[in-house]
Amino acid sequence: MTRREFFIGAAATAAAGCVSATGADKPVVDQNLSVFLSDIHISGLNVKGQPTYQNPLLDKVLDQILAMNPRPARALVFGDVALWNGWAADYAESAPKLKRLTDAGIEVTVTTGNHDHREPLFAAYPRQKDITPVPGRVTSKVDLGTADFLLLDSLNENPKGEGTGNKVDGTLDDAQAAWLMKTAAEAKRPFFVGCHHPPQEVLVTVGSGKKAKKVSVLAALEDNPNFAGYVHGHNHRWYRNWFHKGYSKRHVVRYACLPSTGWWGTIGFATFRTFADRAELKLAPGHDFFFPKPLAEGERRPPMWDEIKREDAASGACTFLYAH
């Protein structure tokens, strides 16, 4: 071990902030450990033909999180909390499920996806309305331990509200974009950005006057030395990627897509651990794959599903380095 590695390791250990809960039988809480969930698509409507198989799959993930030791300090949910059209009943069903985490001392922060509606979400998750720095948007700044996460609201909402379909593609309104760029400029430590949609759909205006143009959030933040990476949901696939702004320098930015907790595609959740010099996003054990829905009783499992599972497991981590 080199001298530099020794001091990095010592700093990471000190920053880990593992706090033992009261009582010897309770798990340790790691202040630098988070879990990331996305696309939970919970159904609260007792309507014939509306699928509910995803509801117990969320319960299974919550069981797994609560069994972790050390236990994560927080959980972030990257949108599509509701099944299809953001019904209040969907949020009334999902909120008690996620309350299992808050009852265990795990802070829960959610944002919207294209299947959500803001007002019924706020009604079921009133904390989100209290903490948002952008009124009317499900936006948060979350302390991850050695870094911050700026969780954005990329919903392009149908103004008719609950029960109506929204545009599938994401967007970022001017108020959120202004808050994002101001917060990024004032950052004193590493920060991540994320929301439901991939970065190519989350555009920010840079420049002014005739020179003003819209660019992806990655291009807008790439030159910020504290910007550490981007995480999103929406695509129901586990993958890692990287972005470069041009060919004049060697710097690249990492970004990653989360699995769906139980709807279709790669099924499961991810852990996110911050260190003194980096953060690591990992696909949690026990993940699965199915499309477009789970197997019926007696139905043969397609071999490609298992092949995708093996490939996901083989590429099951993404490292984000803090320093440019």
Side-chain angles (χ1 to χ4, degrees):
M1 178 180 289
T2 66
R3 176 182 174 86
R4 179 177 180 275
E5 288 171 337
F6 172 82
F7 282 112
I8 288 176
T13 300
C18 291
V19 180
S20 178
T22 304
D25 59 332
K26 293 187 177 180
V28 167
V29 176
D30 186 343
Q31 294 299 325
N32 285 341
L33 179 61
S34 307
V35 289
F36 288 178
L37 288 67
S38 188
D39 298 272
I40 65 177
H41 287 279
I42 295 303
S43 171
L45 296 178
N46 186 20
V47 176
K48 185 178 181 180
Q50 180 163 290
T52 58
Y53 62 79
Q54 68 279 15
N55 291 18
L57 288 174
L58 174 61
D59 292 331
K60 180 180 177 181
V61 163
L62 298 178
D63 290 342
Q64 189 174 348
I65 293 169
L66 291 170
M68 292 171 64
N69 193 5
R71 179 174 283 177
R74 66 200 65 79
L76 276 62
V77 183
F78 284 69
D80 277 2
V81 178
L83 175 57
W84 283 325
N85 294 325
W87 290 99
D90 298 339
Y91 303 111
E93 182 73 20
S94 67
K97 291 179 180 293
L98 293 174
K99 189 174 181 293
R100 294 178 57 197
L101 300 183
T102 57
D103 287 346
I106 300 172
E107 178 185 83
V108 175
T109 304
V110 305
T111 191
T112 57
N114 52 289
H115 288 285
D116 291 309
H117 280 290
R118 293 186 181 99
E119 285 308 310
L121 186 150
F122 276 140
Y125 298 90
R127 174 178 173 270
Q128 294 302 140
K129 196 165 189 175
D130 293 338
I131 67 174
T132 181
V134 183
R137 295 295 180 264
V138 191
T139 306
S140 311
K141 180 179 180 181
V142 183
D143 183 342
L144 299 182
T146 69
D148 294 314
F149 201 104
L150 309 183
L151 189 60
L152 304 174
D153 173 349
S154 56
L155 167 61
N156 194 347
E157 188 172 26
N158 187 327
K160 294 181 180 179
E162 178 187 357
T164 61
N166 303 308
K167 291 185 178 180
V168 175
D169 293 343
T171 189
L172 193 67
D173 60 276
D174 291 341
Q176 276 192 102
W179 172 80
L180 170 64
M181 298 308 291
K182 181 177 185 293
T183 304
E186 295 173 350
K188 303 300 183 186
R189 67 175 189 162
F191 68 91
F192 294 84
V193 176
C195 61
H196 182 71
H197 288 88
Q200 297 84 355
E201 298 179 23
V202 183
L203 304 182
V204 178
T205 300
V206 296
S208 58
K210 293 183 179 180
K211 294 185 177 181
K213 61 180 180 178
K214 282 189 175 290
V215 300
S216 80
V217 64
L218 297 181
L221 294 172
E222 195 268 351
D223 291 327
N224 187 308
N226 285 309
F227 177 49
Y230 186 94
V231 181
H232 66 94
H234 188 59
N235 292 335
H236 298 213
R237 294 173 174 86
W238 169 254
Y239 65 74
R240 309 158 300 164
N241 211 329
W242 56 274
F243 166 84
H244 70 99
K245 195 172 183 179
Y247 293 92
S248 61
K249 53 186 175 180
R250 299 185 183 277
H251 182 240
V252 297
V253 177
R254 302 299 302 273
Y255 64 99
C257 181
L258 298 169
S260 169
T261 300
W263 186 225
W264 58 259
T266 302
I267 303 299
F269 71 102
T271 62
F272 193 78
R273 186 185 295 276
T274 62
F275 297 87
D277 61 337
R278 69 192 188 282
E280 295 178 354
L281 181 70
K282 292 185 176 182
L283 186 61
H287 62 89
D288 196 5
F289 178 90
F290 58 73
F291 184 86
K293 58 185 178 181
L295 296 174
E297 185 176 353
E299 185 180 1
R300 175 179 172 270
R301 182 176 173 90
M304 185 55 72
W305 290 13
D306 289 327
E307 185 59 34
I308 292 172
K309 275 184 63 177
R310 284 191 289 270
E311 291 175 358
D312 284 342
S315 62
C318 181
T319 298
F320 303 83
L321 298 181
Y322 289 164
H324 274 205

